[in-house]
Amino acid sequence: MKTPLALTLTLTLAGAAWLLSACSTTTPQPLRSAGGFSPVSMDTVYVLPVVDARTDKKLDLKVDQLQKTMTDSLKRKRYDTVVLSGSHLMAGLTDEDLRDPTHDWIRQTGPAEARWMMLLVVTELSRKLTFGSTGNAEVSLAILDRHQGTVVWEDKALGRAGQGGLLGMMLVSTMDDEALATAVRQVMHKIPSKPKRT
Amino acid sequence: MKTVLSRSVALVAITLLPALVGGCATSSKITQAGGSHELASGAAPGLLPSSTRIRVLRPEVVYEHALTEAPLAVSAFGGAGVEAALVAKALSSLPSKGLARAAYYADDAELTAEQKALAERVGMLASRLLRAHPDPQALALLEGLAETDAPVAVLAHYVRVKVGPRGTWDPNTGAITSSASSSVFRAALFDCQTGRRLWDNLVLLRRLPDPDSRDFDKVIQLLYSNLNP
């Protein structure tokens, strides 16, 4: 009699432990982040103009709208933001330049009072028509520490969208936008919310 | 019967029309972009005297995971074949562009062992040379390849291959996706005396490179298309 009871208890405890571990959420991590850095430590975030580093620029890319999407997402997470406009800030930069930015470049970018700067780079945007249609997008997100001249947060996302059949064929013109929205959502999702102000 | 048939044809036509119109604005498999360097993009190497020696450097070919950017073994994807094909195509294309004195650095009898080692180092830094703001250290190395008796220019190649997830099809929902692999081919010509970029170009191939494919030939053709004598 004792044995079935012990077995039941053990199984119940094991089940509870499994349930707890399954329900617990883990904070998604970016590709790279500087040791000890957490985005919640940022006071004001300066959002740099979105860099269009695509090789193929045939499809329309609404960079201002993307910058607004980023800013709105940060505001929802209780960050103070300053939007920096003017494409001259990022003129002529390529994917390669931004891969390993120099200290000097980071220190010269943005206003003198800025410490934390956020930069979104779009490296690919495409759509394809088959028996259906698909869209692909590739974006990178970086947080720059202007005081130290370093990159403290780097992340990347591939957004893919698509639908087969006649319906998918009809939706071809929306596929790139959907893929881009997915990619931006993925990189912004990893920025944690700031605690509520008391 | 005839009415039903014509209605069906009309329905299909109306359904497909937006797709066909939209299809015109879909992305190409191969795309050429103008060089990022305003002065150099498509510039005529007519600026170079015909006596200029062109040293074709070893192409820098890198394969990486499209999402994590983790480097992948070049040998696993036949990267050596891409390197060899790029050099062969460059050497066969340059004479038709009026640049007859072109040679691969490793086979160039006029180069000393030291110069060959230097050329090897410069080739490995091709990605840094091809930036909008080239790496000063890489530019300084270029000067070591300059000669006093004749002008010298180097042709650098950089191929960055992103290996992404393959296309998918979900039979339950009908959702489909395309492969996210792509390759960017860059080439540039530098004057060794001044470090000035004389020409550059960039071509995107939305798939993995295969030197035996027609796409690869098209990429190379496009890459040198604006290198005008």
PDB file of all heavy atoms in Angstrom, chain A residues 145-157:
ATOM      1  N   ASP A 145      27.121  52.580 -27.701  1.00  0.00           N
ATOM      2  CA  ASP A 145      27.461  53.407 -26.542  1.00  0.00           C
ATOM      3  C   ASP A 145      28.397  54.501 -27.062  1.00  0.00           C
ATOM      4  O   ASP A 145      29.570  54.248 -27.338  1.00  0.00           O
ATOM      5  CB  ASP A 145      28.155  52.539 -25.477  1.00  0.00           C
ATOM      6  CG  ASP A 145      28.528  53.339 -24.237  1.00  0.00           C
ATOM      7  OD1 ASP A 145      28.488  54.592 -24.291  1.00  0.00           O
ATOM      8  OD2 ASP A 145      28.867  52.703 -23.215  1.00  0.00           O
ATOM      9  N   ARG A 146      27.865  55.700 -27.179  1.00  0.00           N
ATOM     10  CA  ARG A 146      28.634  56.778 -27.799  1.00  0.00           C
ATOM     11  C   ARG A 146      29.809  57.207 -26.914  1.00  0.00           C
ATOM     12  O   ARG A 146      30.860  57.583 -27.418  1.00  0.00           O
ATOM     13  CB  ARG A 146      27.713  57.977 -28.062  1.00  0.00           C
ATOM     14  CG  ARG A 146      28.289  58.993 -29.002  1.00  0.00           C
ATOM     15  CD  ARG A 146      27.275  60.076 -29.295  1.00  0.00           C
ATOM     16  NE  ARG A 146      27.834  61.049 -30.222  1.00  0.00           N
ATOM     17  CZ  ARG A 146      28.635  62.042 -29.852  1.00  0.00           C
ATOM     18  NH1 ARG A 146      28.966  62.171 -28.593  1.00  0.00           N
ATOM     19  NH2 ARG A 146      29.110  62.886 -30.756  1.00  0.00           N
ATOM     20  N   HIS A 147      29.632  57.114 -25.617  1.00  0.00           N
ATOM     21  CA  HIS A 147      30.719  57.518 -24.698  1.00  0.00           C
ATOM     22  C   HIS A 147      31.923  56.594 -24.840  1.00  0.00           C
ATOM     23  O   HIS A 147      33.058  57.044 -24.890  1.00  0.00           O
ATOM     24  CB  HIS A 147      30.234  57.512 -23.248  1.00  0.00           C
ATOM     25  CG  HIS A 147      29.324  58.662 -22.945  1.00  0.00           C
ATOM     26  ND1 HIS A 147      28.864  58.953 -21.686  1.00  0.00           N
ATOM     27  CD2 HIS A 147      28.778  59.610 -23.755  1.00  0.00           C
ATOM     28  CE1 HIS A 147      28.077  60.016 -21.736  1.00  0.00           C
ATOM     29  NE2 HIS A 147      28.010  60.418 -22.979  1.00  0.00           N
ATOM     30  N   GLN A 148      31.667  55.310 -24.902  1.00  0.00           N
ATOM     31  CA  GLN A 148      32.757  54.327 -24.987  1.00  0.00           C
ATOM     32  C   GLN A 148      33.183  54.061 -26.435  1.00  0.00           C
ATOM     33  O   GLN A 148      34.233  53.466 -26.668  1.00  0.00           O
ATOM     34  CB  GLN A 148      32.314  52.992 -24.351  1.00  0.00           C
ATOM     35  CG  GLN A 148      31.833  53.088 -22.917  1.00  0.00           C
ATOM     36  CD  GLN A 148      32.957  53.434 -21.951  1.00  0.00           C
ATOM     37  OE1 GLN A 148      34.097  53.045 -22.176  1.00  0.00           O
ATOM     38  NE2 GLN A 148      32.647  54.197 -20.908  1.00  0.00           N
ATOM     39  N   GLY A 149      32.330  54.448 -27.365  1.00  0.00           N
ATOM     40  CA  GLY A 149      32.624  54.176 -28.778  1.00  0.00           C
ATOM     41  C   GLY A 149      32.528  52.696 -29.102  1.00  0.00           C
ATOM     42  O   GLY A 149      33.302  52.175 -29.900  1.00  0.00           O
ATOM     43  N   THR A 150      31.583  52.014 -28.469  1.00  0.00           N
ATOM     44  CA  THR A 150      31.462  50.564 -28.690  1.00  0.00           C
ATOM     45  C   THR A 150      30.026  50.150 -29.019  1.00  0.00           C
ATOM     46  O   THR A 150      29.077  50.897 -28.768  1.00  0.00           O
ATOM     47  CB  THR A 150      31.874  49.766 -27.419  1.00  0.00           C
ATOM     48  OG1 THR A 150      31.107  50.281 -26.319  1.00  0.00           O
ATOM     49  CG2 THR A 150      33.344  49.907 -27.123  1.00  0.00           C
ATOM     50  N   VAL A 151      29.919  48.945 -29.571  1.00  0.00           N
ATOM     51  CA  VAL A 151      28.598  48.349 -29.822  1.00  0.00           C
ATOM     52  C   VAL A 151      28.294  47.469 -28.614  1.00  0.00           C
ATOM     53  O   VAL A 151      29.079  46.578 -28.289  1.00  0.00           O
ATOM     54  CB  VAL A 151      28.613  47.495 -31.114  1.00  0.00           C
ATOM     55  CG1 VAL A 151      27.248  46.890 -31.383  1.00  0.00           C
ATOM     56  CG2 VAL A 151      29.059  48.333 -32.308  1.00  0.00           C
ATOM     57  N   VAL A 152      27.196  47.721 -27.939  1.00  0.00           N
ATOM     58  CA  VAL A 152      26.904  46.951 -26.718  1.00  0.00           C
ATOM     59  C   VAL A 152      25.802  45.896 -26.932  1.00  0.00           C
ATOM     60  O   VAL A 152      25.588  45.045 -26.071  1.00  0.00           O
ATOM     61  CB  VAL A 152      26.506  47.882 -25.555  1.00  0.00           C
ATOM     62  CG1 VAL A 152      27.693  48.681 -25.070  1.00  0.00           C
ATOM     63  CG2 VAL A 152      25.360  48.802 -25.941  1.00  0.00           C
ATOM     64  N   TRP A 153      25.134  45.971 -28.060  1.00  0.00           N
ATOM     65  CA  TRP A 153      24.022  45.036 -28.318  1.00  0.00           C
ATOM     66  C   TRP A 153      23.927  44.843 -29.823  1.00  0.00           C
ATOM     67  O   TRP A 153      23.883  45.822 -30.566  1.00  0.00           O
ATOM     68  CB  TRP A 153      22.735  45.652 -27.772  1.00  0.00           C
ATOM     69  CG  TRP A 153      21.471  44.850 -27.921  1.00  0.00           C
ATOM     70  CD1 TRP A 153      20.692  44.741 -29.047  1.00  0.00           C
ATOM     71  CD2 TRP A 153      20.808  44.090 -26.915  1.00  0.00           C
ATOM     72  NE1 TRP A 153      19.605  43.965 -28.791  1.00  0.00           N
ATOM     73  CE2 TRP A 153      19.641  43.552 -27.486  1.00  0.00           C
ATOM     74  CE3 TRP A 153      21.082  43.817 -25.574  1.00  0.00           C
ATOM     75  CZ2 TRP A 153      18.758  42.758 -26.774  1.00  0.00           C
ATOM     76  CZ3 TRP A 153      20.186  43.022 -24.866  1.00  0.00           C
ATOM     77  CH2 TRP A 153      19.045  42.501 -25.457  1.00  0.00           C
ATOM     78  N   GLU A 154      23.939  43.610 -30.264  1.00  0.00           N
ATOM     79  CA  GLU A 154      23.817  43.331 -31.699  1.00  0.00           C
ATOM     80  C   GLU A 154      22.846  42.191 -31.895  1.00  0.00           C
ATOM     81  O   GLU A 154      22.981  41.148 -31.247  1.00  0.00           O
ATOM     82  CB  GLU A 154      25.183  42.885 -32.250  1.00  0.00           C
ATOM     83  CG  GLU A 154      26.012  43.978 -32.839  1.00  0.00           C
ATOM     84  CD  GLU A 154      27.260  43.407 -33.470  1.00  0.00           C
ATOM     85  OE1 GLU A 154      28.202  43.097 -32.708  1.00  0.00           O
ATOM     86  OE2 GLU A 154      27.290  43.238 -34.696  1.00  0.00           O
ATOM     87  N   ASP A 155      21.908  42.405 -32.790  1.00  0.00           N
ATOM     88  CA  ASP A 155      20.973  41.327 -33.058  1.00  0.00           C
ATOM     89  C   ASP A 155      20.580  41.340 -34.538  1.00  0.00           C
ATOM     90  O   ASP A 155      20.806  42.338 -35.238  1.00  0.00           O
ATOM     91  CB  ASP A 155      19.726  41.468 -32.175  1.00  0.00           C
ATOM     92  CG  ASP A 155      18.989  40.152 -32.040  1.00  0.00           C
ATOM     93  OD1 ASP A 155      19.571  39.106 -32.383  1.00  0.00           O
ATOM     94  OD2 ASP A 155      17.834  40.162 -31.592  1.00  0.00           O
ATOM     95  N   LYS A 156      20.027  40.255 -34.968  1.00  0.00           N
ATOM     96  CA  LYS A 156      19.689  40.117 -36.376  1.00  0.00           C
ATOM     97  C   LYS A 156      18.441  39.259 -36.508  1.00  0.00           C
ATOM     98  O   LYS A 156      18.215  38.384 -35.664  1.00  0.00           O
ATOM     99  CB  LYS A 156      20.868  39.428 -37.073  1.00  0.00           C
ATOM    100  CG  LYS A 156      20.823  39.502 -38.562  1.00  0.00           C
ATOM    101  CD  LYS A 156      22.091  38.955 -39.158  1.00  0.00           C
ATOM    102  CE  LYS A 156      21.966  39.031 -40.658  1.00  0.00           C
ATOM    103  NZ  LYS A 156      23.115  38.452 -41.327  1.00  0.00           N
ATOM    104  N   ALA A 157      17.649  39.486 -37.536  1.00  0.00           N
ATOM    105  CA  ALA A 157      16.470  38.641 -37.755  1.00  0.00           C
ATOM    106  C   ALA A 157      16.200  38.480 -39.238  1.00  0.00           C
ATOM    107  O   ALA A 157      16.459  39.389 -40.036  1.00  0.00           O
ATOM    108  CB  ALA A 157      15.250  39.245 -37.075  1.00  0.00           C
TER     109      ALA A 157
END
